Amino acid sequence: NPPYNLSSNGQLLNYSFVYRALEVCDAAVFILPRGVLSSDREIKSRQDLVDNGIIKSVITIPSGFFESTSIPVCLMYLKKCNAKAAMLIDGAGITSEEFRDMSGEWSRSHTERIYHKKIRTFSEEQIACLCEMLDRETELSLFVPNNDIVAGDYSLIAGRYRKAPVDAENTMHRDYDDIIEDINRIAR
């Protein structure tokens, strides 16, 4: 677990250990704060990873996944392989929830109390499902060509690239005047 969001000369260091690890091995998986997938401060790092075809897949994980922090995170699978596309997976769509008994921290009045904390988890079946998504598109995963990622300002959030299906036949359209009339009626 790296120290998240440290800065040096205005640059976040979330990716500095990633580059160091890739000097030693050809592939690695990192747990990073989810903000690294779209923050302006780290666009140069994402640009370098995408332009060099190093990103194989990204799995977003919702907040509440770890007992000690509520920060949403992502798993980033990087491999020196000149990838032409990245598999982007929304892991939040398949998590489970469980409640755990936790003891307080710091002072005696806190350590002697027990509280229930909701934690999001992946079951073994859900982990197997995520592994299958690494190789095929589903409603929660999609291959995004690197040129689309470039056009999308190097964002690695799956929802940015997912096209919502449009059902033109069954889409109801209302007259603008009817909508205004309803809003005015509700506001009174």
Side-chain angles (χ1 to χ4, degrees):
N1 197 11
Y4 294 145
N5 301 326
L6 295 178
S7 296
S8 175
N9 298 324
Q11 279 285 83
L12 286 174
L13 299 178
N14 291 320
Y15 284 110
S16 63
F17 71 97
V18 168
Y19 289 115
R20 179 74 176 126
L22 289 173
E23 289 175 8
V24 180
C25 58
D26 288 335
V29 176
F30 297 94
I31 299 173
L32 296 165
R34 193 164 62 197
V36 304
L37 301 178
S38 60
S39 77
D40 289 339
R41 288 181 70 191
E42 296 184 307
I43 193 167
K44 289 180 183 175
S45 296
R46 289 192 311 275
Q47 180 179 3
D48 184 57
L49 294 171
V50 170
D51 291 349
N52 288 302
I54 296 173
I55 299 176
K56 287 289 287 177
S57 60
V58 174
I59 302 172
T60 56
I61 299 175
S63 62
F65 203 78
F66 297 104
E67 292 178 0
S68 60
T69 183
S70 62
I71 295 173
V73 297
C74 65
L75 293 174
M76 189 177 286
Y77 173 37
L78 305 175
K79 186 174 184 180
K80 295 179 192 173
C81 64
N82 200 25
K84 302 295 182 208
M87 175 60 85
L88 304 181
I89 301 170
D90 178 11
I94 63 169
T95 60
S96 300
E97 293 181 348
E98 64 182 52
F99 287 89
R100 295 183 184 168
D101 288 340
M102 309 288 291
S103 62
E105 297 178 5
W106 301 292
S107 70
R108 182 179 173 150
S109 64
H110 289 254
T111 57
E112 292 179 357
R113 73 179 176 102
I114 302 293
Y115 62 96
H116 304 288
K117 185 171 184 177
K118 180 171 67 170
I119 303 291
R120 291 188 177 193
T121 63
F122 290 129
S123 68
E124 288 186 30
E125 293 82 17
Q126 291 165 329
I127 291 170
C129 181
L130 284 170
C131 290
E132 289 175 13
M133 285 185 212
L134 292 171
D135 296 320
R136 65 181 174 85
E137 290 190 353
T138 69
E139 65 276 357
L140 297 175
S141 63
L142 70 157
F143 279 110
V144 180
N146 288 354
N147 59 347
D148 288 355
I149 294 172
V150 171
D153 295 325
Y154 292 95
S155 173
L156 297 172
I157 306 286
R160 180 174 185 123
Y161 305 99
R162 186 165 303 286
K163 308 288 189 271
V166 176
D167 184 359
E169 266 184 45
N170 296 319
T171 301
M172 187 176 93
H173 297 280
R174 293 182 57 204
D175 183 60
Y176 180 71
D177 292 330
D178 288 343
I179 296 170
I180 297 298
E181 185 178 308
D182 284 347
I183 292 171
N184 288 331
R185 183 178 43 80
I186 292 168
R188 290 182 215 152

